[in-house]
Amino acid sequence: MSNPLTLERMRADIATVLHETPDAIADDDNLMDLGVDSLRALNLSLLWSESVPLEFSELAEHVTLAGWWGVVQARQKAHGIEA
């Protein structure tokens, strides 16, 4: 595993796939409404799996960055990864 995944990195990665700036992505924005479709979400989960073990299905249960970050925090804690 590489460096721990951070909220800032997640926001930046989402912004990159949407061709936006990170400050355009709020914690409680509906990511699907912003343009994160299932393929983009899958690609993001695969990218982030390099830092923390993630399953796409875990992220698919949530539609906000805050929701995704909650999943990541729980997975990092469960695997002893400190962000």
Side-chain angles (χ1 to χ4, degrees), residues 22-78:
D23 61 348
I25 312 297
D27 291 355
D28 58 352
D29 284 343
N30 183 314
L31 298 173
M32 305 313 133
D33 289 348
L34 295 179
V36 178
D37 57 19
S38 58
L39 184 57
R40 286 181 172 139
L42 176 60
N43 287 334
L44 287 165
S45 71
L46 292 172
L47 173 68
W48 297 333
S49 289
E50 296 173 6
S51 297
V52 60
L54 282 177
E55 296 292 330
F56 171 71
S57 60
E58 294 174 302
L59 295 181
E61 295 176 12
H62 304 276
V63 296
T64 65
L65 176 55
W68 286 7
W69 178 236
V71 170
V72 168
Q73 285 182 303
R75 297 292 283 170
Q76 288 185 144
K77 183 178 180 181

Side-chain angles (χ1 to χ4, degrees), residues 10-25 31 34-37 40 44:
M10 291 178 70
R11 187 184 320 276
D13 290 344
I14 292 166
T16 297
V17 302
L18 295 177
H19 307 287
E20 294 285 347
T21 59
D23 61 348
I25 312 297
L31 298 173
L34 295 179
V36 178
D37 57 19
R40 286 181 172 139
L44 287 165

